Amino acid sequence: MDQRTNGQNNPKARNHAYKGKKLLLGVTAFALVATPLISFTGEHKASAATAATSQISTISKFVKPIMLSGSSYINLVDASLVPSDNGQIAAFTLSIYNGGASELNLMDYWFRLKNSVGGTYSIKTAAADAKVTKVASKTKTFITVYAQVGEYIKLSDLSLNIVKFDFSAANYERSLGKFTFPTAFTNVTAAGAIKPIYFSNTTLYSKIASATVGSSGDDTFVTVNFVYNNMGKKSVTLSKYKYYIVAAGGEMYEATPEDTADLVMDPLKRKEFKLTATIPATVKTTGAKLVIVKSNGEDATINLPVGSYQIQFGGPTTSTATDTFNYATSNGTYQFNLAQLTRQPWGTQDVLSARVRITNKSTTSIAIPNITGYFYLDDKVKLDFKTVAADNTFGLNAGAYVDLDVYAKLPTNYSFTKAKLIINDQKDDKTSTKAGELLGTSSQTAIPVYAVDRNYQIARVGSKSTATIKTVNIYNSTTSKVFDVQVMLTNNELRTITPSNLVGYFVNENGDTFPATTNAGEGNINPNNKSLISFTTVLPQNYSTSNLRLIIGEGITDTKYSTGTAVPDAYLNTVKFNLPVEQRTLSRLKDVPMLNYKLTINKFTPNVLAPTMNLDLNYTLDKDMTVNAVPKDHKLVLALEGFDPDEGKTYTYYSEDLDIDGDKDKSLKPGTNNKVTLTKDLNYDTFYGDYVYYARIYEVTQNSKKLVAEQEFRWFFENDWTKENSTASSN
């Protein structure tokens, strides 16, 4: 519809500008008249026959139709003002009925918008209605026209004039009538009332179902449950709608819906959803309104008004940080609980981590929220945390829960008393809603201390496993020693898993902290099978290890639990293990342990034809086949040594690495009473009768070794230890 006017804007109007998220408004509002007509509760299906106590907002009491002919008329069904960058947008929705026998040509009719002092405004048709130029016989259509007006204009200052093109009239225009508004006219829908929204083929009813306000620190959190109800027989798409909370002082803050996609309203369907906004605590919420606007097609500079609604909060709710809170959405209700808060060493920093348990308190399944947020230390220091992705992202059944871990890093020397977790529900890349707050204290951050025989549990779905302390060994070199703790990780799942990458640190009672090198074998673990993991650190030779404890946690790479070749950059869910005493040296070459093997030498015959020795071994090698992955930096060394009691010196006559379960001819294979001959030149070819000779087995790692087992032997004879080993076993 072509709108032709040469009117000028109100000279008193002033520029109107956005300042960040805040916009100073002069919002006037919309008239209310009540007629009980439609229910906004119960089933998500509209029914015009259902009576309700809700009121419908309409302007029919103040505005009467303007006749275009004896059987056709035009009626004003909605009028609104919303702020814009240069003042306000005044919008008018018109219902046009053609009662004639032929098409009604809208090009014959023009609109003139005037203010109280005679000023005029340029009228345009909304982009969605721009192509509506005719109304078929016996049909009705809706169109919206709008104009830019001044910042302080009220609807009662405006009149919308309807004129018809007529060659017989002066200036070729004939006035048909005008729509005016009473002085007290307002376009704000009263609290609890229903506002119709008109489309060409259907009508939606809308209202605020409920609203709450909560506060915490510097912020106030507004939540509005809003309802659309399609009363028509056709679907309608609410494209590019935006929602704002407008304070009584005119400040405007965008309210975010749970789903930011365009909303499709099918016939006779009801949709309730949540809008949330964060505003400064200094801005009062008394008298706040919800304002809805929509995009005017391709013209991104114009937002047309949809409706304005008075907000009546259902009582103030101050968000107080505790160790639990409930969070309700249109999907259902979640309960958040602070299950664990710990602080563990990480190089020159510490990792502050929290485990948040989210329980579905609804009666149906719901999706797992995507949580983001930060630690707020002593209400002063903000520390953004990372959220580790949940293993189960499919959803939560009624009553079920999921544990989510969050973490951040902070300086080792930074101390705090109170740690508040600000939890947000991240809707998309740009939109989040505050869910609530959880409170912890520094006294909770101590790492739990486990006894030697206690299990460390990984309870995550798909990764359930148990870690237990197996052995402690100290390997010595000339200037240092390697402190080694071996841990067995058992797969508790019903299927094969890729084991979690565990991270370790050694600490003592004085606070000395040593990062542990984790050495785990590659490969997956079958159900009820195991992986052997070695945690080691290199210490000075004279450093006491009697009070060392091992911290173990699950490795994290960015926002995922570390598995395979992923290198952890943090760790969570830590415990601190008391450690057993070091394994003693065995006095028999029986059941000599090395990773997942046990070696027993049954018979031992050293035959010498100088300078070469042939060493005949009868041995038993047991292998724990349930251990699917083992470290690769451990080996056994067999040495023949002679001790000179007069000088107190020990001489190594022979030393050779034992190839355990390898593919060489002289490899020791798993089995019972196996035989192998080892051949090697001796270091010395003279044997003394007063020497005491020992066959010794050393375990070696990181160029450091430990004597694991020893037994006296005689040269040139078969040393049959079967009986002695049997006696040792019985003892």
Side-chain angles (χ1 to χ4, degrees):
M1 183 181 299
D2 184 19
Q3 307 304 327
R4 304 171 187 175
T5 179
N6 294 318
Q8 302 297 318
N9 288 335
N10 186 347
K12 296 182 180 179
R14 297 189 298 177
N15 289 337
H16 193 85
Y18 288 93
K19 297 180 180 180
K21 291 185 177 180
K22 183 174 179 180
L23 179 64
L24 297 180
L25 307 175
V27 177
T28 56
F30 207 4
L32 315 170
V33 176
T35 305
L37 182 64
I38 177 66
S39 171
F40 271 74
T41 60
E43 296 295 327
H44 289 198
K45 181 179 290 187
S47 172
T50 303
T53 58
S54 295
Q55 298 176 334
I56 294 182
S57 173
T58 176
I59 62 175
S60 61
K61 182 177 180 179
F62 304 99
V63 179
K64 301 301 180 183
I66 295 175
M67 302 304 297
L68 303 180
S69 66
S71 59
S72 301
Y73 61 86
I74 185 168
N75 196 20
L76 180 65
V77 296
D78 201 359
S80 298
L81 285 169
V82 292
S84 68
D85 290 341
N86 298 310
Q88 298 181 94
I89 296 293
F92 307 91
T93 300
L94 299 160
S95 169
I96 305 173
Y97 176 71
N98 178 13
S102 59
E103 284 185 330
L104 179 66
N105 188 355
L106 298 183
M107 299 298 292
D108 293 338
Y109 300 92
W110 297 347
F111 300 97
R112 298 286 185 262
L113 183 64
K114 298 181 180 180
N115 60 29
S116 58
V117 294
T120 60
Y121 304 94
S122 176
I123 286 277
K124 295 181 180 180
T125 304
D129 304 323
K131 295 181 180 180
V132 179
T133 59
K134 298 180 184 299
V135 182
S137 173
K138 307 301 182 182
T139 64
K140 180 190 294 185
T141 191
F142 294 93
I143 64 169
T144 297
V145 296
Y146 68 94
Q148 183 81 48
V149 300
E151 179 179 356
Y152 300 106
I153 289 292
K154 303 184 296 293
L155 282 173
S156 59
D157 296 330
L158 300 174
S159 63
L160 181 63
N161 297 265
I162 311 298
V163 299
K164 184 178 181 180
F165 184 73
D166 187 348
F167 280 112
S168 64
N171 298 323
Y172 307 112
E173 292 183 5
R174 178 162 52 89
S175 177
L176 300 180
K178 63 181 178 180
F179 298 112
T180 60
F181 307 92
T183 302
F185 186 77
T186 172
N187 70 331
V188 179
T189 304
I194 298 169
K195 174 180 171 24
I197 302 174
Y198 299 97
F199 297 83
S200 294
N201 55 15
T202 194
T203 300
L204 294 186
Y205 286 89
S206 61
K207 73 172 282 187
I208 293 177
S210 63
T212 59
V213 59
S215 62
S216 175
D218 297 333
D219 294 322
T220 295
F221 310 103
V222 176
T223 301
V224 176
N225 289 313
F226 195 77
V227 178
Y228 286 117
N229 207 334
N230 187 348
M231 297 300 300
K233 297 181 180 180
K234 300 290 184 67
S235 293
V236 62
T237 300
L238 308 184
S239 180
K240 298 182 180 179
Y241 275 39
K242 291 185 178 181
Y243 304 83
Y244 296 91
I245 302 298
V246 182
E251 299 87 358
M252 186 175 186
Y253 302 89
E254 186 166 2
T256 306
E258 292 171 301
D259 187 353
T260 57
D262 289 348
L263 179 62
V264 178
M265 289 298 304
D266 291 326
L268 303 180
K269 290 292 184 178
R270 175 185 184 274
K271 174 67 175 178
E272 180 173 343
F273 58 96
K274 180 178 292 186
L275 300 164
T276 56
T278 301
I279 66 178
T282 54
V283 177
K284 293 182 179 180
T285 57
T286 304
K289 294 178 285 290
L290 173 68
V291 172
I292 307 176
V293 299
K294 63 180 178 180
S295 173
N296 184 37
E298 299 299 324
D299 188 353
T301 63
I302 298 295
N303 284 319
L304 298 178
V306 174
S308 182
Y309 307 78
Q310 192 71 49
I311 301 176
Q312 182 176 346
F313 294 107
T317 57
T318 301
S319 176
T320 303
T322 63
D323 63 354
T324 185
F325 67 83
N326 285 350
Y327 170 57
T329 72
S330 59
N331 293 328
T333 301
Y334 304 87
Q335 183 182 80
F336 284 72
N337 178 259
L338 180 60
Q340 188 181 51
L341 182 68
T342 55
R343 181 174 182 171
Q344 48 268 349
W346 182 264
T348 58
Q349 296 178 297
D350 284 351
V351 175
L352 180 63
S353 64
R355 170 159 286 184
V356 179
R357 175 161 293 182
I358 305 174
T359 304
N360 178 7
K361 306 299 286 186
S362 307
T363 57
T364 59
S365 296
I366 55 178
I368 298 174
N370 178 24
I371 70 170
T372 60
Y374 55 92
F375 293 101
Y376 201 32
L377 305 182
D378 293 329
D379 293 327
K380 295 178 180 179
V381 177
K382 180 182 178 182
L383 195 63
D384 290 328
F385 60 61
K386 291 184 177 182
T387 304
V388 183
D391 291 313
N392 171 23
T393 58
F394 187 74
L396 286 175
N397 292 326
Y401 69 85
V402 64
D403 288 333
L404 293 182
D405 292 307
V406 303
Y407 74 96
K409 293 177 182 177
L410 71 166
T412 299
N413 61 356
Y414 186 84
S415 61
F416 63 88
T417 301
K418 181 175 63 175
K420 187 185 297 182
L421 278 77
I422 309 300
I423 306 292
N424 297 325
D425 182 7
Q426 190 74 29
K427 302 300 183 180
D428 53 39
D429 292 341
K430 299 180 180 179
T431 307
S432 66
T433 300
K434 180 173 179 178
E437 302 177 3
L438 296 171
L439 181 63
T441 63
S442 59
S443 61
Q444 295 175 258
T445 63
I447 301 173
V449 178
Y450 279 19
V452 172
D453 58 352
R454 185 172 175 181
N455 295 334
Y456 171 70
Q457 298 287 342
I458 298 175
R460 293 181 291 108
V461 175
S463 300
K464 292 179 181 177
S465 48
T466 301
T468 55
I469 302 294
K470 184 173 179 282
T471 60
V472 171
N473 293 289
I474 299 174
Y475 306 89
N476 293 285
S477 66
T478 305
T479 58
S480 62
K481 56 187 175 185
V482 175
F483 188 75
D484 175 279
V485 177
Q486 292 182 10
V487 173
M488 195 69 80
L489 184 69
T490 303
N491 175 13
N492 296 331
E493 293 283 355
L494 299 177
R495 299 190 180 186
T496 300
I497 66 170
T498 300
S500 299
N501 292 342
L502 298 182
V503 174
Y505 271 80
F506 292 104
V507 295
N508 68 6
E509 73 279 6
N510 297 323
D512 293 346
T513 305
F514 304 92
T517 299
T518 306
N519 192 345
E522 298 178 358
N524 296 332
I525 311 178
N526 294 328
N528 296 314
N529 284 8
K530 294 164 283 190
S531 171
L532 185 61
I533 305 168
S534 173
F535 295 93
T536 64
T537 190
V538 179
L539 302 170
Q541 186 62 248
N542 61 351
Y543 190 89
S544 174
T545 61
S546 59
N547 292 314
L548 282 182
R549 290 172 169 172
L550 174 63
I551 298 173
I552 292 179
E554 295 181 73
I556 301 296
T557 304
D558 192 22
T559 59
K560 295 182 179 180
Y561 293 99
S562 304
T563 59
T565 59
V567 178
D569 47 35
Y571 66 134
L572 310 175
N573 313 324
T574 53
V575 301
K576 187 186 299 182
F577 272 103
N578 288 323
L579 297 175
V581 297
E582 182 188 10
Q583 283 194 316
R584 63 181 179 85
T585 301
L586 301 176
S587 59
R588 294 285 184 269
L589 302 188
K590 175 177 173 58
D591 292 335
V592 178
M594 200 277 289
L595 301 177
N596 59 324
Y597 296 93
K598 286 185 179 180
L599 174 64
T600 298
I601 297 180
N602 302 311
K603 297 178 182 180
F604 179 91
T605 306
N607 293 311
V608 179
L609 183 61
T612 304
M613 182 190 72
N614 294 323
L615 182 59
D616 297 328
L617 296 180
N618 178 290
Y619 67 92
T620 296
L621 182 64
D622 295 323
K623 180 180 181 180
D624 186 348
M625 299 296 292
T626 65
V627 181
N628 299 153
V630 296
K632 295 181 178 180
D633 64 343
H634 288 245
K635 66 180 180 179
L636 290 182
V637 176
L638 175 62
L640 304 184
E641 298 178 349
F643 175 69
D644 182 354
D646 294 332
E647 296 184 0
K649 293 183 178 180
T650 297
Y651 299 91
T652 301
Y653 281 77
Y654 164 93
S655 178
E656 185 167 0
D657 295 352
L658 296 177
D659 185 20
I660 304 295
D661 205 6
D663 55 5
K664 300 177 182 178
D665 291 340
K666 295 183 179 181
S667 297
L668 275 60
K669 304 290 187 181
T672 302
N673 291 322
N674 293 339
K675 295 180 180 180
V676 68
T677 298
L678 306 177
T679 301
K680 190 176 182 181
D681 288 348
L682 293 169
N683 296 328
Y684 306 99
D685 58 5
T686 303
F687 306 99
Y688 299 95
D690 58 345
Y691 279 19
V692 181
Y693 294 96
Y694 293 95
R696 287 177 167 147
I697 295 180
Y698 294 91
E699 187 176 359
V700 177
T701 185
Q702 299 181 45
N703 297 318
S704 302
K705 67 180 183 179
K706 172 187 176 177
L707 178 61
V708 181
E710 63 181 4
Q711 194 162 354
E712 290 187 38
F713 75 94
R714 293 183 300 164
W715 291 101
F716 308 104
F717 290 91
E718 180 184 70
N719 297 267
D720 187 350
W721 292 324
T722 307
K723 184 176 181 180
E724 294 180 56
N725 288 338
S726 176
T727 303
S729 298
S730 64
N731 292 335

